[in-house]
Amino acid sequence: MTIAQPMNYTPEGPQPLVREIPRGEQYPTHALGPLRDVVEAVQRATQAPTAIPAQSALSVASLVVQGHADVECLAGTVPTSLYCLTVAQSGERKSGNDKLVMQAVSGFEKAQWSDYQEAMEQWDIAQKLWSAKRDRLFKDAGSKKQDVAIAAEADLGNLGPAPRAPLSPKLTTAEPTLEGLVKLFQTGQPRLGLFSDEGGGFLGGHAMNSDNRLKTISGLSKLWGGDALDRVRAGDGASTLYGRRLAAHLMVQPIAARPLLADPVANGQGFLARFLITEPPSAIGTRLGDTGGQANDAAIQAASQRIEQILSVQLPCKEERPQELEPRVLPLSKAARELLASYYRATELEQAPGGEFEQVRAFASKSPEQAARIAGVLALWSDIHVHEVTAHQMSDAIELAGFYLGEAKRLSDAATVSVEIESADRLRRWLLESWPKIATAAGRDPLNIVPRDVVTMGPGALRETATVRKLMAVLASHGWLAQLDAGAIVDGKSRQLAYRIVGAT
């Protein structure tokens, strides 16, 4: 009989179930072109990781230019809308960065608000007068006096449509449901921004709960693609919104980002691949300079003036539908197109089995389009009436897109490991807290266990043999389990795979 003994066991003691996330590459600030100065100025003012103000600047630039032009890519045209996701710990001064970059947008909304309220008061009066006149004409149309009825019917035909309500000047929203976002598109501007420095409230809120996640993901994916947005609600009937554009920047803490990055629904729908994602190294503990002293930096003021200038340019909308955008197409120069085609070939090849991007194919397949969108944003920020994207702008955009693709690979790998570690920790707790009682009650040795024990008696979420074997191997690698020699006797039977619980000894 072979006595159950640990195989190659060194009594160092269990190690914490922690994962090491490889450090990301330095953000390529030089590739931000016309946005570089404001990003560096905001970074000096806040001393936050450079990627945070970079994400803020790109997303705000996208917000203000997206209504004016779509950009050419290799397979047609796409919006210049960007979705950004920044993963950073509390205390990284996310709010301070956004406030500096967004101040001109907030100022524009505030300046328009008094005019909007006055216009709403005038519209309310006009709407009530129109409704009263319509109601009176309907009543007269039912009159028994033929001449009165005929005249009323004629007047109804000439009454015209109801007065159109003024559009809300609101350009950004923080934590909407999809229905709330659609409603804002119905009553307000055709270009909007989903911006939140506490994006966990959105990701963990009603819009992304188990009942609404698929609907929200589908709706936001449609908006990213510039597709029409359908709205069907009981009582309101059905409606379709055309010509809307949405930019987004969600700042979230790692604990909120990990589940999303590992969510099979979000990944399966290609939703996450629509985001430019980054998790910069923390700057906490290194910010020893004077913060806030650069808040009035000339570059920040220049960026604010640029935002105001672009927001003041009339949007290309249908004359009869002021909420339906008709953006022009911004073409690529021949050289820019050749650069984008070369980048497409490079990323496509690396999606093959064994390639660098095999595990993040959704991100890699969209990366050339992301490059085209970024190039469009940089070009339009420089000149809202620009005629084409230059090779230099495309080169910068490709470098930025490549950086974000590398971040997606790094963080997706880390998120997958994180979920695995979380499951392993759930098993660890069960082995230490529940298994001794179960084994003792069954007359078993509470220190030895086989995968089948976990499958049949373990936590409900861990009832697949392949999953359990993988998690037990993780615990063994961290010293919580010690693998026994093949053929060891456990519960009176020879076992090919069995473990001794080290943490319980």
Side-chain angles (χ1 to χ4, degrees):
M1 176 184 298
T2 302
I3 300 175
Q5 292 291 337
M7 182 178 66
N8 300 323
Y9 169 57
T10 302
E12 296 178 347
Q15 301 298 311
L17 290 174
V18 296
R19 51 166 177 71
E20 293 290 336
I21 301 178
R23 189 179 180 88
E25 297 292 330
Q26 188 73 20
Y27 193 93
T29 315
H30 59 275
L32 287 168
L35 296 175
R36 177 178 182 173
D37 287 348
V38 65
V39 169
E40 292 180 341
V42 172
Q43 195 281 325
R44 288 194 299 271
T46 63
Q47 295 187 32
T50 302
I52 296 179
Q55 291 279 80
S56 293
L58 274 174
S59 54
V60 170
S62 172
L63 166 65
V64 299
V65 308
Q66 63 182 342
H68 291 278
D70 293 342
V71 66
E72 181 186 4
C73 67
L74 298 178
T77 61
V78 295
T80 48
S81 304
L82 299 177
Y83 285 6
C84 296
L85 178 65
T86 303
V87 183
Q89 295 281 1
S90 176
E92 293 287 4
R93 298 175 178 165
K94 301 187 292 293
S95 300
N97 284 272
D98 242 20
K99 184 177 181 180
L100 287 176
V101 179
M102 290 282 291
Q103 59 186 356
V105 175
S106 301
F108 182 86
E109 290 178 324
K110 185 176 181 180
Q112 298 291 312
W113 196 253
S114 59
D115 291 341
Y116 170 71
Q117 289 180 312
E118 182 178 341
M120 279 295 292
E121 292 174 0
Q122 296 174 354
W123 170 81
D124 185 57
I125 294 172
Q127 171 70 15
K128 289 177 179 177
L129 290 173
W130 183 89
S131 296
K133 184 176 182 180
R134 182 196 58 183
D135 293 344
R136 179 175 55 79
L137 290 175
F138 271 123
K139 183 177 179 180
D140 290 347
S143 173
K144 294 181 180 180
K145 296 180 179 181
Q146 188 175 12
D147 57 335
V148 173
I150 293 174
E153 290 177 5
D155 288 341
L156 277 170
N158 295 323
L159 181 60
R164 181 178 287 132
L167 302 182
S168 167
K170 190 172 180 61
L171 290 173
T172 62
T173 186
E175 297 179 11
T177 60
L178 182 63
E179 289 81 3
L181 187 61
V182 171
K183 185 175 182 180
L184 188 55
F185 269 127
Q186 288 184 310
T187 61
Q189 301 296 315
R191 60 176 172 194
L192 293 174
L194 173 56
F195 283 40
S196 176
D197 57 7
E198 292 296 339
F202 173 76
L203 297 178
H206 179 74
M208 291 292 284
N209 66 24
S210 57
D211 294 330
N212 297 314
R213 183 185 294 115
L214 188 58
K215 177 175 61 176
T216 299
I217 286 174
S218 176
L220 293 179
S221 296
K222 282 186 175 182
L223 285 168
W224 186 80
D227 299 327
L229 194 61
D230 295 323
R231 181 175 189 254
V232 180
R233 287 177 63 101
D236 293 347
S239 60
T240 302
L241 305 180
Y242 298 95
R244 278 14 179 226
R245 294 291 184 269
L246 179 72
H249 185 198
L250 300 178
M251 295 184 177
V252 301
Q253 294 186 31
I255 193 171
R258 299 287 178 257
L260 180 67
L261 289 167
D263 185 353
V265 175
N267 282 287
Q269 294 288 318
F271 176 62
L272 282 177
R274 290 167 167 81
F275 281 84
L276 302 173
I277 305 175
T278 183
E279 182 178 352
S282 175
I284 296 174
T286 66
R287 303 166 299 189
L288 303 180
D290 178 27
T291 61
Q294 304 290 332
N296 294 318
D297 189 286
I300 298 177
Q301 297 304 312
S304 294
Q305 293 173 5
R306 183 62 185 143
I307 289 171
E308 292 172 358
Q309 291 170 355
I310 297 175
L311 289 177
S312 298
V313 177
Q314 185 174 354
L315 289 171
C317 297
K318 290 191 174 181
E319 184 176 351
E320 69 281 9
R321 298 175 188 167
Q323 290 173 281
E324 188 173 323
L325 290 166
E326 283 190 315
R328 65 187 177 92
V329 175
L330 175 61
L332 307 181
S333 68
K334 181 180 179 182
R337 187 176 182 85
E338 289 174 351
L339 285 173
L340 186 59
S342 178
Y343 180 62
Y344 163 77
R345 288 191 292 271
T347 54
E348 178 68 19
L349 288 172
E350 289 299 331
Q351 295 175 53
E356 182 180 2
F357 304 130
E358 177 187 5
Q359 302 304 320
V360 285
R361 287 173 176 167
F363 287 94
S365 64
K366 284 184 171 57
S367 192
E369 179 178 334
Q370 295 280 28
R373 288 173 181 251
I374 295 171
V377 169
L378 297 179
L380 291 165
W381 177 265
S382 296
D383 179 4
I384 199 64
H385 303 295
V386 67
H387 297 300
E388 66 177 13
V389 173
T390 67
H392 181 72
Q393 289 162 342
M394 182 58 73
S395 178
D396 283 343
I398 287 173
E399 184 166 358
L400 290 170
F403 166 81
Y404 286 113
L405 179 54
E407 284 287 272
K409 181 179 184 300
R410 181 175 69 92
L411 297 177
S412 293
D413 290 346
T416 301
V417 172
S418 179
V419 171
E420 179 180 285
I421 292 295
E422 182 180 347
S423 296
D425 192 56
R426 186 184 302 117
L427 175 57
R428 180 189 66 84
R429 293 194 302 269
W430 181 84
L431 290 171
L432 297 179
E433 299 167 7
S434 300
W435 172 245
K437 300 174 185 177
I438 295 172
T440 300
R444 297 271 305 276
D445 182 350
L447 296 182
N448 292 334
I449 192 167
V450 297
R452 180 173 175 77
D453 294 330
V454 180
V455 173
T456 56
M457 294 177 282
L462 305 178
R463 295 297 176 88
E464 294 183 357
T465 300
T467 299
V468 169
R469 285 173 175 261
K470 187 175 183 179
L471 296 179
M472 294 182 86
V474 170
L475 292 178
S477 69
H478 286 76
W480 292 97
L481 293 176
Q483 186 175 342
L484 303 179
D485 291 324
I489 303 300
V490 175
D491 191 26
K493 297 180 181 179
S494 175
R495 309 287 186 171
Q496 288 301 309
L497 181 61
Y499 292 93
R500 187 172 185 83
I501 303 172
V502 177
T505 58

